[in-house]
Amino acid sequence: MTKFSFSRSDFPQDFIWGAATSSYQIEGHAFGGAGPTHWDTFAATPGNVVRAENGDTACDHYHRYEQDLDLIKDAGLDAYRFSTSWARVMPDGKAVNPDGLDFYDRLTDAMLERGLKPCATLYHWELPAALAVQGGWQNRDVAKWFGEFTHTIMGKIGDRMHSVAPINEPWCVGWLSHFLGHHAPGLRDIRATAHAMHHVMLAHGTAIGVMRDLGLKNLGGVFNMEWATPADDSPEAARAAELYDGYYNHFFLSGVFKGRYPDTVMEGLGPHMPQGWQDDFNVIQAPLDWVGVNYYTRKLIAPNTDPWPSHEEVEGPLPKTDMAWEIYPQGLYEFLKRTADTYTGTLPLYVTENGMAHACPAEDVDQPRIDYLQAHIAMARKAMDDGVPLKGYMIWSLLDNYEWALGYEKRFGLVHVDFDTLKRTPKASYQALAAALKR
Ligand code: IFM
């Protein structure tokens, strides 16, 4: 199949099709007066990032955004999910860089000129280095600082946003970056993790409050989810998978929608939580207008004899993407259904990220990406048929970009980027999408 077997008419008329990116991954952080972030210092430390690559130039979206927005429009997409860089807007985390604000102002207007809906995420991981040295996500004040950033950036462009979410993938900010150490700041510390997991939620709720006060509407939260499958039939493996599911998937939704964290997770994190955390749910539970699910894969989980959480990932049997992630479309269906049934009810849901890393041999040959997207879109459709109020689907990503600790190696784009010349070339998946979405 070189084409998608779905078309726009298989979905409701107001269903939103979009592409997603993030600031540090595409903009070129060396341009426009942006300040250093914890990703710059993390990447500059040997051993953290493949070839010590950083986001200095990335895709140079900072200068080429008009061309990139044309690509989104020409694909027939309705929306652009982008993010705003805290360190571009406030290079030292506090003082405002007018050029940074102007960039997002121009970007917003350029989206509107093309009839694209601006869907903003306030934070996609580039914490200003000046705040990182003050403890970053471990410091309770991060919620206040983030509120100030929210006020500044949304005071400028909030009037034109279709939707806004505060923080992309809280699990990555908390667990991946402070427990596993794979992302900046690269910590492996359970106490730092407990603090960051809670403060990211506090910052989320604080930002929602700030934006409500500014009069913004259509505010949501974006959570990444990974389906946890027990590695075998033993009760121990079932427990291990349940715990993984708890700190990866339930922790954040449960905080926002139920005002508590899962007991399984608090068994480990409880002794390390910041003082007074139980009193913060009035902020964390700020009502949302929608929820976004970022979904890519599942993991097989087996128990081990390490200290809590006493488990590990084992390799699964399914075909894998270039990230070595198993392709498991059923997981998207399960998450959409479970999120609606357990947490969000009739609240609109969006797939805010889904896509695959695949280095295609030539831009006009991109079959695995077409198959991956097709299979996941079919699951999204099935969830809708089963009553899930899914209102949109966004592909990660528009462009090949900086895949964090994996540098520029993993190609998630519908559009190929030559990182020497920065030339953009639409791939076969892009062409197939444009055909499917044609009105
Ligand atoms: O590139 C990332 C993105 O920044 C957040 N979600 C997952 C993507 C693929 O790993």
Side-chain angles (χ1 to χ4, degrees):
M1 180 181 62
T2 53
K3 292 182 177 161
F4 286 109
S5 62
F6 76 93
S7 71
R8 187 183 273 280
S9 59
D10 297 330
F11 288 78
Q13 269 203 339
D14 58 355
F15 194 83
I16 295 176
W17 295 93
T21 67
S22 91
S23 43
Y24 192 82
Q25 292 180 273
I26 65 165
E27 283 175 1
H29 199 74
F31 312 126
T37 79
H38 68 169
W39 264 97
D40 298 304
T41 52
F42 183 74
T45 311
N48 284 340
V49 177
V50 171
R51 291 179 295 274
E53 288 170 344
N54 60 35
D56 275 3
T57 303
C59 306
D60 189 23
H61 177 73
Y62 184 80
H63 296 108
R64 297 165 198 247
Y65 67 92
E66 302 240 25
Q67 180 190 355
D68 294 338
L69 295 179
D70 285 344
L71 283 164
I72 300 176
K73 181 176 175 231
D74 293 346
L77 293 162
D78 312 305
Y80 178 35
R81 179 172 176 253
F82 69 108
S83 77
T84 54
S85 163
W86 190 345
R88 178 176 298 293
V89 172
M90 296 166 132
D92 64 357
K94 299 264 157 76
V96 175
N97 166 28
D99 289 349
L101 278 183
D102 281 354
F103 171 67
Y104 293 115
D105 197 37
R106 282 182 276 124
L107 183 68
T108 300
D109 284 344
M111 282 182 239
L112 295 176
E113 278 160 24
R114 289 163 178 78
L116 296 170
K117 295 182 193 322
C119 301
T121 304
L122 296 174
Y123 180 78
H124 198 125
W125 309 349
E126 57 282 269
L127 187 73
L131 303 182
V133 294
Q134 294 178 59
W137 290 102
Q138 293 182 71
N139 186 334
R140 182 180 175 84
D141 285 347
V142 74
K144 184 175 61 117
W145 303 331
F146 188 57
E148 289 160 8
F149 165 57
T150 303
H151 193 271
T152 302
I153 182 64
M154 284 300 133
K156 181 78 174 178
I157 63 171
D159 56 335
R160 285 154 286 159
M161 292 300 106
H162 172 75
S163 67
V164 189
I167 292 166
N168 187 64
E169 303 184 348
W171 179 85
C172 293
V173 178
W175 195 275
L176 187 67
S177 307
H178 295 83
F179 195 81
L180 299 179
H182 294 173
H183 277 192
L187 294 180
R188 299 193 63 207
D189 183 280
I190 194 168
R191 196 169 185 81
T193 306
H195 283 61
M197 295 276 278
H198 181 65
H199 292 151
V200 76
M201 287 282 81
L202 190 61
H204 158 90
T206 302
I208 294 287
V210 167
M211 291 192 282
R212 293 279 180 219
D213 289 348
L214 283 171
L216 270 68
K217 300 200 167 47
N218 208 15
L219 308 179
V222 170
F223 307 97
N224 56 319
M225 300 184 192
E226 222 172 68
W227 195 252
T229 304
D232 58 45
D233 292 337
S234 67
E236 291 78 15
R239 268 200 302 279
E242 189 192 347
L243 175 54
Y244 187 91
D245 194 24
Y247 65 70
Y248 204 121
N249 304 311
H250 286 294
F251 186 88
F252 307 98
L253 284 171
S254 177
V256 171
F257 289 98
K258 301 210 186 284
R260 58 184 154 81
Y261 297 137
D263 293 342
T264 50
V265 183
M266 294 322 286
E267 273 173 30
L269 294 191
H272 305 288
M273 292 294 278
Q275 219 183 355
W277 63 273
Q278 295 94 336
D279 302 330
D280 288 332
F281 286 103
N282 57 333
V283 177
I284 293 171
Q285 287 202 272
L288 298 180
D289 303 310
W290 56 272
V291 160
V293 173
N294 291 0
Y295 176 78
Y296 293 89
T297 190
R298 72 158 186 180
K299 290 282 160 59
L300 256 55
I301 309 298
N304 70 15
T305 54
D306 287 348
W308 187 92
S310 317
H311 63 212
E312 63 196 26
E313 298 173 15
V314 297
E315 195 181 333
L318 301 177
K320 300 185 180 64
T321 71
D322 285 357
M323 298 290 279
W325 293 345
E326 283 190 300
I327 300 173
Y328 186 63
Q330 178 74 19
L332 179 60
Y333 172 85
E334 302 292 352
F335 275 130
L336 291 172
K337 195 84 182 70
R338 188 173 89 177
T339 301
D341 290 349
T342 312
Y343 294 108
T344 56
T346 55
L347 215 59
L349 295 184
Y350 292 86
V351 175
T352 32
E353 282 184 29
N354 179 234
M356 90 183 287
H358 169 66
C360 44
E363 283 81 53
D364 57 353
V365 186
D366 195 19
Q367 197 57 46
R369 194 180 326 271
I370 296 173
D371 294 344
Y372 179 101
L373 294 173
Q374 174 67 50
H376 287 80
I377 289 168
M379 286 296 159
R381 179 67 255 191
K382 180 163 137 66
M384 292 167 75
D385 293 341
D386 290 350
V388 173
L390 184 70
K391 304 295 180 190
Y393 173 92
M394 309 205 181
I395 294 170
W396 185 270
S397 183
L398 174 67
L399 304 170
D400 292 338
N401 61 46
Y402 180 65
E403 181 53 28
W404 306 110
L406 301 175
Y408 290 92
E409 230 165 53
K410 307 296 175 197
R411 293 185 172 271
F412 275 94
L414 294 166
V415 175
H416 177 270
V417 177
D418 178 322
F419 290 109
D420 294 324
T421 64
L422 297 172
K423 183 170 184 289
R424 278 80 163 134
T425 311
K427 301 178 188 175
S429 50
Y430 174 99
Q431 311 292 5
L433 187 70
L437 296 183
K438 206 169 162 60
R439 286 180 193 277

